[in-house]
Amino acid sequence: MGLAGLARLHGLFAAYKPPGLKWKHLRDTVELQLLKGLNAGKRPASEHRVRFLLGPVEGSEEKELTLTATSVPTFIDHPLVCGPAFTSLKIGIGHRLDAQASGVLVLGVGRGRSLLTDMYNAHLTKDYTVHGLLGKATDDFCEDGRLVEKTTYDHVTREKLERILARIQGSHQKALVMYSNVDLQTQEAYEMAVSGVMRPTNKSPMLMTGIRCLQFAPPEFLLEVQCMHETQKQLRRLVHEIGLELKSTAVCTQVRRTRDGFFTLDDALLRTQWDLPSIQDAIQSAAPRVAAELEKNLGPGLGTQQPSSPGWPWDSEEPSSALGLESRAGH
């Protein structure tokens, strides 16, 4: 079970991170559960060696002792002697989620960690649902932050909100074309735009490929955002800036990632499924799709940009104003 089970652990899978849980704790919990499963497998029977043991002669009533050849087990590979067979695993985290956010979190085990870099180089988009609350502003754009302002929101309508969202999407689409470094007059640019594979060729600020309002019930509203190179803090700031554009204020009450590249909520393992068999099945099930999607997205001119540091380049905390991106992109 040990080595055979380990061989089926190389690859990518998705877990569902609940709000309030740090990604490091999730990774450590997954590693602990995998090690527990690997070490729980039945080990091969201990080897036996011939030993000459001193004992009484069989069938003799005398107390005379003699050496008798006896097969005895060796305990050199016993768990109580050498400890567990597996003590650590190499597990990498893809596009991270901060403690307050929830949703799809991609992990790579063993050789699957290199695929996380391929996912980054492919510049795949991610989907989020972002909940907003009109009428107040805080210092960190979160509902439980320090209150800095309260405003009215009776004048805010869904039409006004959707008008602002359309402006945001338009400015980001222009920026996406610029960061893609393609000539709009070429057939290549047309085909990339039609197929939806237009991607930046290197690191860029947060870019939104789509944003729309799913629900509007003042003071609450729900947005769906498709983006890349984002942080959850930038998404919360987006809600704050939308509130200002509406001549009001707004805070973010929830950020939930529903898709990361080719992994969706349907692929994400719940807390009760973070065990060896479930993760092995998830990795094996996702492997063909991962290979096909990476091959499709890592085309000419894509995925050739290496990360600027050995860390996690997709976790950049550089500020980016969603509404002011168009003006900066033109410089």
Side-chain angles (χ1 to χ4, degrees):
M1 178 63 172
L3 294 177
L6 186 62
R8 299 181 64 229
L9 276 178
H10 293 285
L12 299 180
F13 73 98
Y16 184 86
K17 191 192 89 64
L21 180 68
K22 294 182 179 180
W23 64 265
K24 289 183 179 179
H25 291 168
L26 187 152
R27 183 188 62 187
D28 292 346
T29 301
V30 167
E31 181 181 10
L32 182 64
Q33 292 298 107
L34 290 178
L35 290 174
K36 182 179 178 181
L38 289 171
N39 289 317
K42 186 178 180 181
R43 292 195 177 192
S46 298
E47 293 182 1
H48 282 65
R49 294 186 178 181
V50 176
R51 292 285 187 267
F52 290 91
L53 303 180
L54 194 62
V57 178
E58 282 188 37
S60 175
E61 296 180 357
E62 299 180 5
K63 297 182 179 179
E64 183 182 357
L65 300 178
T66 184
L67 292 175
T68 305
T70 308
S71 177
V72 296
T74 61
F75 295 102
I76 191 172
D77 57 350
H78 195 280
L80 295 179
V81 176
C82 62
F86 300 93
T87 57
S88 65
L89 286 174
K90 295 180 178 180
I91 302 178
I93 297 289
H95 301 101
R96 297 175 182 173
L97 288 170
D98 60 29
Q100 297 92 342
S102 62
V104 179
L105 184 65
V106 179
L107 296 89
V109 185
R111 292 188 297 272
R113 294 181 304 155
S114 63
L115 299 177
L116 295 174
T117 302
D118 292 337
M119 284 186 65
Y120 166 73
N121 289 334
H123 302 284
L124 302 174
T125 60
K126 298 175 284 297
D127 290 357
Y128 289 86
T129 54
V130 181
H131 294 252
L133 181 69
L134 295 166
K136 64 178 184 178
T138 61
D139 60 342
D140 61 356
F141 316 130
C142 295
E143 184 182 17
D144 55 358
R146 182 174 62 86
L147 184 66
V148 296
E149 186 180 4
K150 294 188 72 174
T151 57
T152 60
Y153 53 85
D154 296 340
H155 60 285
V156 178
T157 64
R158 181 163 187 156
E159 289 73 22
K160 291 181 180 179
L161 174 60
E162 291 180 340
R163 197 176 307 128
I164 291 172
L165 299 182
R167 281 172 41 204
I168 295 173
Q169 181 168 336
S171 67
H172 279 255
Q173 286 177 339
K174 292 180 181 178
L176 176 60
V177 172
M178 188 200 75
Y179 283 105
S180 299
N181 291 333
V182 295
D183 185 357
L184 292 181
Q185 307 302 319
T186 62
Q187 180 67 20
E188 177 191 12
Y190 173 78
E191 292 176 355
M192 292 176 65
V194 170
S195 60
V197 297
M198 186 172 289
R199 302 282 188 271
T201 55
N202 48 36
K203 190 70 173 104
S204 72
M206 178 178 73
L207 294 172
M208 282 179 280
T209 58
I211 180 170
R212 65 190 181 108
C213 177
L214 296 180
Q215 296 178 10
F216 184 77
E220 299 179 358
F221 60 93
L222 175 63
L223 305 178
E224 182 184 61
V225 182
Q226 292 89 38
C227 55
M228 62 184 75
H229 301 168
E230 80 295 336
T231 65
Q232 289 76 58
K233 185 176 181 179
Q234 290 172 332
L235 293 172
R236 297 186 185 99
R237 181 176 177 175
L238 168 66
V239 173
H240 169 76
E241 294 181 347
I242 288 174
L244 296 180
E245 288 293 313
L246 290 169
K247 302 298 188 290
S248 181
T249 53
V251 294
C252 181
T253 59
Q254 185 186 58
V255 175
R256 184 181 188 225
R257 183 189 289 161
T258 58
R259 181 181 62 84
D260 185 352
F262 32 78
F263 287 97
T264 67
L265 285 174
D266 293 335
D267 304 311
L269 300 180
L270 302 177
R271 175 65 182 84
T272 55
Q273 298 172 304
W274 297 350
D275 55 69
L276 180 62
S278 298
I279 292 175
Q280 287 175 326
D281 291 343
I283 289 176
Q284 298 301 312
S285 174
R289 187 170 80 251
V290 169
E293 291 292 337
L294 288 178
E295 182 179 1
K296 181 178 72 173
N297 286 279
L298 290 175
L302 294 175
T304 57
Q305 182 73 19
Q306 295 300 316
S308 58
S309 69
W312 302 96
W314 44 76
D315 283 322
S316 171
E317 292 291 342
E318 62 187 45
S320 173
S321 170
L323 304 183
L325 179 57
E326 182 180 4
S327 59
R328 287 202 308 279
H331 285 64

